Amino acid sequence: MAVEAPIERPTRTHGDLPVPGRCPETAPEAPLDEFFDSSGQPRPHAACLSAFLEDLGSAGLLGRQVAAQRQLARLGVTFPLASDPDPDPERIWPFDVLPRLVALAEWERLAAGLAQRLVALNAFVADCYGPQEALRAKVVPPEVVLGSRHFEPALLGTSPPAGIWTHVAGTDVVRDGSGQFAVLEDNLRVPSGAASMLVNRQVSKTVVPEAFREASVLPVEPYLDALGEGLAAFRTGSDDDLAVLLTPGPANPAWFEHVFLARQLGIPLVEGADLLVDDQDRLQARTVEGLRPVDVVYRRVADDYLDPELGRPDSLVGVPGLLRSWRAGRVALANAPGTGVADDKAVYAFVPAIIRFFLDEEPILANVPTWWCGDPEQCRFVLAHLAELVVKPTTEGGGYGVVVGPDVPRASLTAVAARIQQNPAGWVAQPTLELSTTPSLTGDGTLQARRVDLRTFTVLTPAGATSAAGGLTRVAPFGSRVVNSSQGGSSKDTWVVDDRLPAGRPGARVLPSPLLGPGRPAPLDPRPGRTQDPR
């Protein structure tokens, strides 16, 4: 991985934690530009978009950006900033009309790696709540799992339908110093962003339709089909039973996503008060027709709040008895509770070993080198190199708590060191990556290179794992390394371009959207409120 400066690393390892003796790579003179090559020419898969941009000009491009913002406003797509003091801000979803391009050959390798990773992580979660063979073999240090706040001892011995725990994964990937994709983070509890990916595609197809006609772009919309079919595969009751999406309610920052996905999947959007567990441990939904059995819940409520009988007793968004119903095999929960044990940032460091242990395969995708401060020698190393590393609390998400050493005044690092020393096992560190860049539109119509990552979405069913062809590209503010949208970044549509076909000519694979293409009804405005039962 590219780093800001060469770093000496301890040679001792804890378990199978990858800690090389010395990183041979140094920071490049400039970040890798995904759009232009070293000579300043568009890369082969970007040639058609480059020509389109030249024809359009900066004024035309700015006009398309304004049109995109208007469409997002009509759809009611808003997103709060973590730093905003306003408790109820209304901001239009930050979207850059310029797409990010990924060549098909790169995507095929990435998709294979994402599938491999999700299958292995599902096996790991099943093992954590079952025989715990990986812990006995010290593939992962037992204290990493048993000490994780996401490990749920009450679930020991549980076996969910079809043995699937991790139905949906939101895996964050970046390019390393060689230009290859590497995994930065796994998200397996309630991964968000799929609706933003789908809306970004909807908007970009509307405001830059010519570019679609000039490129062979794989569709992202079949992700909804895979998700819907995946949920249907876990039906435990009769055809009259409901599948529902459980939301904390309109106050949740991801409310738009919950409404959007429920409507696109054609399932009711419900809150905890809309559900109850009867004396037969069956989950029921309150509808205008009376109680209706529920056998699948796509839950968007965090574990702690999911069931007040086992989680927070003061939870008003969960369903009392829900986990009891799930453990009795009366309902399927996607994702299953307890899956957070596999996306703990300390566990992340051991995922390559997990893949080897459960699948007997070499990882297709690399990890970013990671030091776990629960190991005393690695902790000493991290504390000695705070100014060169990125440190992260193991249980946080959304960019919260992350400290980028090179961007923090040295005096402030003293406080960071004290926090690490108070709870070493709760922290990991990674090299300061020089993320790849792609052109982004500025307010005056010029293009500016900004750092990006990619949130990918993969669905696991008994038939295998399927990834959306693309994902949600997140863009850092100018000069920043933090790409998370909740920290002030923006987003792009991600085009997987089949550059093996002649773009814009007969025979080119320009695939229509199965959900938003010609002849389909206009997208639903998600603002009016939730639907008890669209049927």
Side-chain angles (χ1 to χ4, degrees), residues 58 143 228 256 279 306 320-321 356 386 425 428 450 495 501:
S58 60
E143 61 267 30
F256 170 83
D279 56 6
L306 193 57
R356 296 185 189 100
L386 278 179
V428 296
R450 295 190 182 180
W495 294 7
L501 296 174

Side-chain angles (χ1 to χ4, degrees), residues 27 39 64 80 93 120 135 145 207 210 232 237 245 282 300 346 350 373 384 387 411 460 467 518:
S39 67
R64 304 302 176 92
W93 170 248
L135 304 189
V145 171
V207 300
E210 309 95 322
L245 192 154
R282 294 174 300 189
R300 302 304 296 266
F350 301 92
C373 294
L460 180 62
S467 296

Side-chain angles (χ1 to χ4, degrees), residues 109 220 393 488 501:
R109 178 179 178 276
V220 296
L501 296 174

Side-chain angles (χ1 to χ4, degrees), residues 482-503:
V482 180
V483 297
N484 200 285
S485 301
S486 63
Q487 305 299 314
S490 60
S491 71
K492 288 177 176 285
D493 190 11
T494 308
W495 294 7
V496 176
V497 178
D498 189 348
D499 52 350
R500 299 174 302 188
L501 296 174

Side-chain angles (χ1 to χ4, degrees), residues 347-529:
V347 169
Y348 161 89
F350 301 92
V351 172
I354 289 171
I355 292 172
R356 296 185 189 100
F357 184 80
F358 287 104
L359 304 185
D360 195 23
E361 299 172 356
E362 282 300 307
I364 297 172
L365 299 175
N367 262 24
V368 175
T370 302
W371 299 270
W372 174 53
C373 294
D375 176 89
E377 186 174 347
Q378 293 181 53
C379 187
R380 286 192 293 271
F381 167 75
V382 170
L383 291 173
H385 293 274
L386 278 179
E388 304 160 68
L389 300 172
V390 176
V391 293
K392 304 176 180 180
T394 60
T395 56
E396 294 289 349
Y400 294 100
V402 174
V403 178
V404 182
D407 298 343
V408 175
R410 287 185 178 269
S412 301
L413 293 178
T414 302
V416 176
R419 294 170 62 195
I420 294 174
Q421 290 169 326
Q422 288 174 358
N423 178 28
W427 292 83
V428 296
Q430 296 173 329
T432 303
L433 299 179
E434 191 58 82
L435 301 180
S436 60
T437 67
T438 191
S440 294
L441 184 64
T442 66
D444 61 3
T446 59
L447 302 185
Q448 187 179 72
R450 295 190 182 180
R451 296 177 175 93
V452 292
D453 81 347
L454 180 64
R455 167 68 60 88
T456 62
F457 300 95
T458 307
V459 177
L460 180 62
T461 72
T466 304
S467 296
L472 176 63
T473 287
R474 300 180 298 185
V475 186
F478 180 67
S480 174
R481 292 182 174 92
V482 180
V483 297
N484 200 285
S485 301
S486 63
Q487 305 299 314
S490 60
S491 71
K492 288 177 176 285
D493 190 11
T494 308
W495 294 7
V496 176
V497 178
D498 189 348
D499 52 350
R500 299 174 302 188
L501 296 174
R505 299 175 184 175
R509 185 169 62 179
V510 181
L511 299 175
S513 162
L515 296 174
L516 303 171
R520 298 279 178 163
L524 293 170
D525 185 334
R527 288 173 290 183

Side-chain angles (χ1 to χ4, degrees), residues 161-433:
I164 303 294
W165 294 77
T166 56
H167 305 78
V168 181
T171 309
D172 296 340
V173 299
V174 296
R175 290 189 189 273
D176 62 21
S178 68
Q180 295 293 317
F181 280 113
V183 175
L184 182 65
E185 189 171 292
D186 301 289
N187 296 277
L188 298 171
R189 283 166 281 168
V190 283
S192 62
S196 300
M197 170 188 71
L198 294 162
V199 168
N200 282 0
R201 175 57 54 88
Q202 177 183 339
V203 172
S204 65
K205 287 175 70 174
T206 301
V207 300
V208 287
E210 309 95 322
F212 268 87
R213 289 196 293 268
E214 293 299 321
S216 300
V217 183
L218 271 63
V220 296
E221 293 84 2
Y223 171 78
L224 283 171
D225 297 330
L227 179 58
E229 292 168 4
L231 296 176
F234 301 101
R235 304 300 297 266
T236 60
S238 70
D239 291 341
D240 292 331
D241 291 357
L242 295 175
V244 301
L245 192 154
L246 176 62
T247 176
N252 188 270
W255 168 249
F256 170 83
E257 170 155 305
H258 302 166
V259 178
F260 181 92
L261 290 178
R263 287 183 167 176
Q264 295 294 334
L265 291 168
I267 63 177
L269 179 67
V270 300
E271 297 180 31
D274 300 320
L275 303 174
L276 63 89
V277 176
D278 65 20
D279 56 6
Q280 300 297 314
D281 291 338
R282 294 174 300 189
L283 185 64
Q284 306 275 356
R286 297 181 174 95
T287 74
V288 293
E289 303 168 349
L291 294 179
R292 292 276 304 274
V294 175
D295 65 353
V296 177
V297 176
Y298 179 24
R299 59 104 174 190
R300 302 304 296 266
V301 175
D303 282 8
D304 290 348
Y305 296 88
L306 193 57
D307 183 346
E309 289 185 1
L310 292 176
R312 292 184 54 140
D314 60 343
S315 173
L316 299 178
V317 297
V319 184
L322 180 58
L323 294 190
R324 177 165 27 96
S325 178
W326 174 68
R327 296 196 68 180
R330 297 298 184 91
V331 65
L333 298 178
N335 284 350
T339 54
V341 70
D343 70 15
D344 188 299
K345 292 180 176 63
V347 169
Y348 161 89
F350 301 92
V351 172
I354 289 171
I355 292 172
R356 296 185 189 100
F357 184 80
F358 287 104
L359 304 185
D360 195 23
E361 299 172 356
E362 282 300 307
I364 297 172
L365 299 175
N367 262 24
V368 175
T370 302
W371 299 270
W372 174 53
C373 294
D375 176 89
E377 186 174 347
Q378 293 181 53
C379 187
R380 286 192 293 271
F381 167 75
V382 170
L383 291 173
H385 293 274
L386 278 179
E388 304 160 68
L389 300 172
V390 176
V391 293
K392 304 176 180 180
T394 60
T395 56
E396 294 289 349
Y400 294 100
V402 174
V403 178
V404 182
D407 298 343
V408 175
R410 287 185 178 269
S412 301
L413 293 178
T414 302
V416 176
R419 294 170 62 195
I420 294 174
Q421 290 169 326
Q422 288 174 358
N423 178 28
W427 292 83
V428 296
Q430 296 173 329
T432 303
L433 299 179

